[in-house]
Structures are given as C-alpha cells and as structure tokens.
Amino acid sequence: MNKSSREKILTRIRTGLYGSTGVHQQKEITRKSTGISAEPTMEKSILVNQFVEELTKVSGNAKIVESEDAVKDFIMSFVEERGISSFAIWKSELIQRLEIGDDLQSKGLKLAHPDKKEEMSNAGIGITEADFAIADTGTIVLIAGEKQPRTVSLIPPIHLAIVKSSLILRNINDLFAMLVNLISEKNSTEESTSCLTFITGPSRTADIELNLTLGVHGPRELFVLILAQ
C-alpha cells in the first residue's frame, strides 16, 4: 500500500470517528472520550506500581531507577553478572545520549548489527527503549523505525527495555488516544511507522501437550528498567 492510499484510508477512519472536525476539535473529543486530560487522572506512582505488578504476573521483571546514570550503571552490571558477550541495541535518543552502546563495547562486548542475521543469532541481549507502557496489562509498546529495528526485541534471548515512568499509561484506550494525537500533530501519516509491537512478558507457548515453555518464539526473559520522572 502506498502512502497516498494509506492516507486516504486513515482520513476516512478519522472522518468516521470524528466527522469533519478539525485537528484541535479531534484532540478535545479524544480527551473527553478517553479521560485523558491536561491534568493527570491517576498518580504516576500508582500506574508504575500497577505496571510492575502486572508485568510480574506474566513472568517479566522490572526495576525502578531514579536517574539516567543509574540506567547505565544497571545495564553495565547486568551484562557482567550474566556473562553476556554480545549485544544488539536501538539508537533511540536516550540510549544514544547515555552512550550505552559505546560503553558496552569498551567493556569488550561485541555489537550485533540488526541487519546481519548471524550476528543477531549470537547476540546475548537486545536493548531497546519502549515508546509507551500499559499499566493494566504490564505491556510495553515499541514503535519500529529505522533506528529502532524490531529484530533487537525479538531475536536475542534476553530483552531489556528502558521506559520512562511518564510514558506509562492506564490502558490501551489511553494509548490509542495518544497515538491519534501524535498523528494529528504531524497532520500526516507519512512519518508514522507501519509497525507497533505490544510485548507482555517473555515469549511463551503451550503448543506441546499444553506445557508452558518460555523463549521458544522470542526472548525467554524480559526485563523492564523504569526511569522515574
């Protein structure tokens, strides 16, 4: 589907949802219909605690850190304790600012390039930065892009995702309201990704005799590092 066709389809959807109202009116409708407003409707600390609780229920792990330096310190200690020798990593703004990739390489870890299958198959950990998180299901949401390839969260056996506490939302309704606003602000879908990944805990399957097994189709371990803001 080309960009023109996609734009036409999304325009029809917006028109169906909102009629012929303008962008600002759409935002107001979205806020009213979902409960999102300029003022937080729920204390962030409550959302963070709920997210951690739900993530733990699905075999995920979480840790709250209070500073960006603590994020990097934790990751350096984590890979050392696990004996990890190679890694794949996103190039998000936060990850690049913290120079996490450079520091891991200076410790002797090998960088796996997302477009090289053999390197990715040997990577011990994939490090990403979640774009959003959903508190009531313990889900992280990743928006794929050129600097944020999906393979980093799918292939390595351990996935470590960083998420800012301010980006933890109540539920999926809040998420889609947020996404609608983001698209409306751009007033175009041309810069928007076609892939949104929802991750709730490690990869799991019970295909064989209903025995639950982790890590068959993706990472067997998910660790979410929450940066308090």
Side-chain angles (χ1 to χ4, degrees):
M1 181 184 299
N2 58 42
K3 293 179 180 177
S4 176
S5 298
R6 183 174 61 180
E7 185 66 37
K8 289 179 181 176
I9 292 172
L10 290 175
T11 299
R12 286 200 295 270
I13 293 173
R14 289 193 200 101
T15 303
L17 287 171
Y18 306 114
S20 58
T21 55
V23 170
H24 296 295
Q25 288 170 293
Q26 290 180 15
K27 291 178 182 177
E28 187 59 28
I29 291 171
T30 300
R31 292 188 185 102
K32 289 180 178 177
S33 63
T34 63
I36 289 181
S37 65
E39 296 299 326
T41 55
M42 185 181 292
E43 288 291 338
K44 275 296 175 185
S45 60
I46 296 176
L47 290 180
V48 170
N49 292 336
Q50 183 182 13
F51 173 79
V52 172
E53 182 178 349
E54 296 301 321
L55 176 65
T56 304
K57 289 179 182 177
V58 291
S59 306
N61 298 288
K63 181 177 177 62
I64 302 169
V65 294
E66 301 295 333
S67 70
E68 293 185 356
D69 287 340
V71 170
K72 188 161 69 173
D73 291 344
F74 177 86
I75 293 174
M76 296 301 125
S77 299
F78 186 87
V79 297
E80 185 173 352
E81 291 171 1
R82 300 298 182 95
I84 295 170
S85 59
S86 64
F87 70 101
I89 194 168
W90 274 11
K91 295 181 179 178
S92 68
E93 182 179 341
L94 174 62
I95 288 174
Q96 287 193 301
R97 183 169 69 249
L98 294 178
E99 300 180 337
I100 295 172
D102 292 339
D103 284 4
L104 289 174
Q105 288 187 86
S106 69
K107 289 173 67 71
L109 277 75
K110 183 178 179 181
L111 173 63
H113 296 86
D115 58 344
K116 296 183 177 179
K117 294 180 181 179
E118 186 173 349
E119 291 184 6
M120 287 299 294
S121 65
N122 293 321
I125 187 171
I127 301 171
T128 67
E129 180 184 355
D131 294 276
F132 297 101
I134 301 173
D136 70 353
T137 57
T139 301
I140 57 172
V141 182
L142 309 183
I143 300 177
E146 184 179 355
K147 296 181 178 180
Q148 303 185 169
R150 295 178 62 206
T151 52
V152 175
S153 67
L154 297 175
I155 297 179
I158 301 174
H159 177 199
L160 188 152
I162 306 163
V163 64
K164 297 172 183 173
S165 63
S166 59
L167 297 176
I168 298 178
L169 308 175
R170 294 179 304 175
N171 50 44
I172 197 168
N173 292 330
D174 284 4
L175 171 68
F176 281 106
M178 185 71 74
L179 294 175
V180 168
N181 284 346
L182 289 175
I183 292 174
S184 297
E185 287 172 358
K186 292 179 181 177
N187 205 23
S188 170
T189 58
E190 291 188 0
E191 297 179 5
S192 302
T193 180
S194 60
C195 181
L196 196 64
T197 303
F198 294 76
I199 300 175
T200 306
S203 170
R204 62 182 61 212
T205 182
D207 290 346
I208 302 175
E209 297 182 350
L210 299 180
N211 291 321
L212 183 62
T213 306
L214 299 181
V216 175
H217 303 300
R220 67 171 181 273
E221 186 175 351
L222 172 64
F223 205 105
V224 180
L225 202 52
I226 301 169
L227 174 58
Q229 292 189 311

